[in-house]
Amino acid sequence: VCSHRILTGTLDGRLIALDAASGELCEGFGDHGEVNLNEGLNPHLQGEYSVTSPPAILDNKAILGALVADSTRRDIPSGVVRAYDVVSGELVWFWDSIPPGREPQLDLSGDQKYEAGTSNVWSIISVDRDRNLVFLPTGNTFADYYGGDRDGLDYYSSSVVALDGGTGEVVWHFQMVHHDVWDYDTPSQPTLYDFERDGEIIPALAQPTKMGHLFLLNRETGEPLFPVEERPVPQGGAVPGETLSPTQPFPTVPAPLHPQRFTKDDIRAFTPWDRASCEEQLASLHNEGIFTPPSLRGSVVYPSPLGGNNWGAPAVDPIRNIAILNTTFAVFVVKLTERADCEEFGDFRQIGSPYCASTEPMMSSFGIPCSGAPLSTLVAIDLNSGEKRWEVPLGTLEDFFPVVGRFVKGSPSFGGPAVTASGLTFIASTAFDYYLRAFSTETGEELWKGRLPTSGMATPMTYRTSAKAKQYVVISAGGHFVFPGAGGAYVVAFALPD
């Protein structure tokens, strides 16, 4: 019983072990098959701490973080990452993202074990078994859009952090955004691959970001494989009390996969009225390009918090040395409001900071995105040179605008691709059309698409049951709460005819 087990987290903060053969709880794991992950956290409401990604397995440990509602209030739960014994459910180690040399701040009157408000790890963790390393893509420290009173607690925010798999100690960390006030947390799984330079094989890691910056790092040391430059970024318009970083890291290779500024020349409109509406909005906002700080006036955030290379890891083809990623292009407006005027304010409350925040996509008066088409692309990057091999629009707006949407190229996309040895890339992920597609990994040509009952904003998997059996491609299709359209709970499989 439970010699082959499935471990999964839940949205209400539990880690569950199931017998893979029967689906029954593994009685010897934790408390009759469950570990309560809420233990040790400061008091919180349901929904403020949720496991949204699968545990990573390293040796006999299940390692997981959680999504934390990091823009609601200052005393949100800790973003702690914990490792549990896969057989007993006992805690082996934990890592809370507290700056080096600083003691955790705990309320010792209760059962709190981990500091409130630390950076969380809501996306997917990677492990390197040969090197006993755990790679964490970290999120934000409270609050998403104001950091004037973080007091250094964002030291590990918006980073890749490498931990020793046996102890949970930090081996290295690389920060993609300093003092992040744009919700540019690290959204996708660190992807491991081998990089060859001058005949030497270097163990490498590819980390995409919401900014469209793809960082290629030595996964043993965290050192960039290509130069990364600290460049000055906008400082004007910041709210009183904010302490912006004067520079941000920019990878020189690969080149950014997302434009770094939105201007009126980038507006794509169906009608002159759409264009005029978007131009009027743009002219009223603070806009100095990427890393324009949130402001009381309202700031253009482009790339957006829902844009760039977001949730869903890149797929690496080790035969062709190509990484495949999907990029979403959307322009957002972020506006801060002083706390005295926040009483009836929704969206990002940021209770405990001097400001609440509102975020919304920039839309025309007819409800059309000002950022125009394509709203997303699929791109191939040569991992040896860092050069772009090809880029094609991904999806359409067919299921959002049934009449004209199929002629609009590109749909917002969340989810990742999967590659096959034969040279195919499979990806669904499009919010506004319901298809799984196959592309040529070499050229980007769309070769096939299969209809889904709703959007498949997930990553497909492919398998055979034996060496002589047919190959299947499977995708979960469930829609997405952020986007309009049909929800559901479907698993759809495709295969070639017999």
Side-chain angles (χ1 to χ4, degrees):
V1 175
C2 286
S3 61
H4 180 196
R5 58 185 58 196
I6 296 168
L7 291 106
T8 185
T10 68
L11 293 183
D12 60 355
R14 291 173 293 147
L15 175 62
I16 298 174
L18 301 174
D19 187 310
S22 68
E24 297 295 324
L25 289 166
C26 297
E27 285 291 326
F29 181 85
D31 184 7
H32 302 288
E34 297 184 0
V35 170
N36 181 6
L37 301 174
N38 295 288
E39 292 182 355
L41 303 179
N42 52 301
H44 56 279
L45 303 174
Q46 186 169 341
E48 291 185 329
Y49 182 89
S50 299
V51 180
T52 52
S53 294
I57 305 299
L58 181 61
D59 296 330
N60 65 331
K61 297 180 287 294
I63 304 162
L64 73 168
L67 179 148
V68 173
D70 51 24
S71 218
T72 55
R73 57 188 177 90
R74 176 166 303 284
D75 55 343
I76 53 172
S78 168
V80 63
V81 172
R82 288 173 279 191
Y84 292 90
D85 187 286
V86 297
V87 176
S88 67
E90 293 181 358
L91 181 68
V92 179
W93 55 255
F94 71 87
W95 177 75
D96 206 356
S97 57
I98 300 167
R102 207 197 79 175
E103 292 297 317
Q105 300 176 18
L106 306 176
D107 179 3
L108 299 180
S109 63
D111 298 323
Q112 185 182 354
K113 187 175 182 180
Y114 315 111
E115 181 167 342
T118 52
S119 303
N120 62 89
V121 179
W122 61 265
S123 192
I124 303 172
I125 296 170
S126 295
V127 298
D128 183 334
R129 290 179 174 83
D130 293 337
R131 294 164 181 80
N132 198 35
L133 291 174
V134 179
F135 302 103
L136 310 177
T138 63
N140 297 85
T141 305
F142 178 88
D144 281 354
Y145 300 105
Y146 176 76
D149 50 10
R150 289 177 184 161
D151 192 27
L153 196 58
D154 55 2
Y155 182 85
Y156 290 111
S157 290
S158 305
S159 302
V160 175
V161 180
L163 303 183
D164 182 293
T167 65
E169 297 294 321
V170 174
V171 177
W172 58 260
H173 97 282
F174 185 94
Q175 189 168 60
M176 270 75 71
V177 187
H178 306 320
H179 191 72
D180 184 359
V181 291
W182 302 271
D183 195 21
Y184 281 160
D185 49 1
T186 311
S188 61
Q189 182 180 28
T191 299
L192 312 185
Y193 69 101
D194 291 329
F195 175 76
E196 184 175 354
R197 174 177 283 164
D198 300 328
E200 178 188 4
I201 301 298
I202 300 172
L205 176 153
Q207 183 59 66
T209 69
K210 294 180 180 181
M211 302 87 70
H213 295 166
L214 178 60
F215 291 88
L216 305 178
L217 309 175
N218 181 320
R219 70 175 180 266
E220 290 184 323
T221 66
E223 293 295 318
L225 299 177
F226 299 96
V228 173
E229 298 177 350
E230 288 286 335
R231 299 176 185 169
V233 293
Q235 304 289 299
V239 294
E242 186 56 272
T243 53
L244 297 171
S245 173
T247 64
Q248 293 290 347
F250 288 78
T252 57
V253 178
L257 304 180
H258 190 294
Q260 305 289 279
R261 184 165 190 152
F262 187 79
T263 71
K264 69 177 184 178
D265 294 334
D266 300 311
I267 295 171
R268 299 291 182 267
F270 286 125
T271 70
W273 297 276
D274 277 318
R275 172 170 290 280
S277 172
C278 292
E279 287 185 357
E280 183 179 357
Q281 290 181 69
L282 187 61
S284 70
L285 298 167
H286 186 45
N287 181 21
E288 296 185 63
I290 189 171
F291 299 119
T292 296
S295 63
L296 297 173
R297 172 184 172 187
S299 297
V300 173
V301 177
Y302 186 76
S304 84
L306 291 181
N309 308 112
N310 215 295
W311 184 86
V316 169
D317 185 325
I319 300 171
R320 298 164 181 83
N321 290 313
I322 294 174
I324 309 290
L325 309 89
N326 50 312
T327 307
T328 293
F329 308 95
V331 57
F332 265 52
V333 177
V334 174
K335 183 177 181 180
L336 298 180
T337 301
E338 293 180 350
R339 177 58 53 193
D341 299 319
C342 290
E343 188 169 340
E344 302 298 324
F345 199 83
D347 211 351
F348 294 90
R349 293 171 290 164
Q350 303 190 155
I351 297 171
S353 84
Y355 305 94
C356 50
S358 65
T359 68
E360 56 187 7
M362 188 187 294
M363 310 284 279
S364 77
S365 55
F366 293 96
I368 307 297
C370 291
S371 47
L375 294 178
S376 74
T377 62
L378 192 66
V379 61
I381 300 296
D382 186 306
L383 287 171
N384 288 330
S385 66
E387 296 296 318
K388 185 187 297 184
R389 292 275 292 266
W390 51 258
E391 185 172 19
V392 297
L394 178 60
T396 69
L397 302 185
E398 177 178 331
D399 290 291
F400 187 58
F401 296 113
V403 178
V404 299
R406 69 186 62 189
F407 303 108
V408 180
K409 299 299 183 182
S411 164
S413 60
F414 291 88
V419 296
T420 68
S422 64
L424 295 179
T425 294
F426 288 94
I427 187 168
S429 86
T430 47
F432 294 149
D433 78 352
Y434 304 162
Y435 291 99
L436 174 69
R437 290 177 166 86
F439 294 84
S440 165
T441 302
E442 292 276 7
T443 68
E445 179 187 1
E446 184 178 317
L447 304 174
W448 168 88
K449 64 181 180 181
R451 185 70 174 167
L452 300 174
T454 186
S455 55
M457 281 182 276
T459 299
M461 64 174 287
T462 179
Y463 66 91
R464 292 187 296 178
T465 56
S466 70
K468 295 183 179 180
K470 69 168 61 180
Q471 185 173 1
Y472 294 87
V473 178
V474 179
I475 183 74
S476 293
H480 196 291
F481 70 93
V482 171
F483 298 100
Y490 303 95
V491 178
V492 185
F494 296 90
L496 292 173
D498 290 332

